[in-house]
Amino acid sequence: MKIVLACGGTGGHIFPAFSVAEELRRRDPNHEIIYICGTKDIESAIFKIVAGEKVIEIESAPFRGTRSLFDLQFLLKLIKGIRKARRILVCERPDVVVGFGGHFSFPMVCMARQLGIPALVHEQNVIPGAANKLLARWANGVALSFRETEAYWPSKKGV
């Protein structure tokens, strides 16, 4: 099974993805994992931990409320990220996309939905982030690390 883990931005998104990948490989060593991350130096440093794994960088921009919708830089980065996400998914043809939150998950989960690829949102915090709350509406399911997090979701679909 080919699995895309969109987890860039911070260690708070990346390390949970590493844990999920480790468990997936424990269950079936033949799983192919592709990591999607941003272009920051800190991300490059963190991803050296998984040397030999496929890591693809995309550009995107953090959503800072409705004012972001009027920010040309934000919109250009978002469009660029969505276009690259589409190219990645068409080229790689994964079986599933898992978004771990943050602005790098957004284009990947959105494009997965548009292309008919199953998508899952993984929330590793008790209080969910804005990206995951929004993406949960489009994803096929939501994976939670804490039972208390259920109270924060707008719907119970797949939780």
Side-chain angles (χ1 to χ4, degrees), residues 2 10 39 44 48 62 64 66-67 88 100 113 118-119 124 140 145 148 151-153 156:
K2 188 183 277 192
T10 68
T39 58
S44 297
K48 287 181 181 174
R64 305 280 188 226
T66 55
R67 69 174 186 231
I88 291 166
F100 284 80
R113 168 73 179 205
Q124 57 278 351
N140 298 89
S145 296
E148 298 86 358
Y152 292 95
W153 294 104
K156 300 292 183 196

Side-chain angles (χ1 to χ4, degrees), residues 4-159:
V4 167
L5 303 179
C7 57
T10 68
H13 298 298
I14 296 169
F15 289 111
F18 288 173
S19 295
V20 168
E22 184 179 332
E23 178 60 21
L24 289 169
R25 285 227 179 76
R26 187 188 66 74
R27 293 179 184 202
D28 183 351
N30 296 317
H31 285 311
E32 182 180 348
I33 306 294
I34 301 169
Y35 294 100
I36 305 297
C37 69
T39 58
K40 294 180 185 174
D41 289 342
I42 187 70
E43 289 169 294
S44 297
I46 292 172
F47 276 98
K48 287 181 181 174
I49 293 170
V50 291
E53 298 281 354
K54 190 168 197 172
V55 178
I56 302 173
E57 294 178 345
I58 66 170
E59 192 167 347
S60 192
F63 184 70
R64 305 280 188 226
T66 55
R67 69 174 186 231
S68 294
L69 301 174
F70 301 100
D71 180 347
L72 184 60
Q73 287 290 83
F74 168 81
L75 294 172
L76 290 174
K77 284 183 177 183
L78 180 61
I79 290 167
K80 192 174 182 181
I82 287 172
R83 291 178 70 200
K84 183 148 187 193
R86 181 177 178 79
R87 283 193 305 271
I88 291 166
L89 295 175
V90 167
C91 178
E92 295 294 338
R93 305 179 60 82
D95 297 295
V96 66
V97 172
V98 183
F100 284 80
H103 54 281
F104 299 102
S105 290
F106 188 82
M108 296 305 297
V109 172
C110 285
M111 281 295 101
R113 168 73 179 205
Q114 184 180 23
L115 295 170
I117 300 167
L120 178 71
V121 171
H122 182 283
E123 180 54 66
Q124 57 278 351
N125 300 301
V126 172
I127 300 173
N132 276 354
K133 283 172 58 175
L134 179 62
L135 289 172
R137 299 170 197 250
W138 299 314
N140 298 89
V142 177
L144 304 177
S145 296
F146 302 98
R147 181 164 295 289
E148 298 86 358
T149 311
E150 287 182 31
Y152 292 95
W153 294 104
S155 74
K156 300 292 183 196
K157 175 184 82 170
V159 177

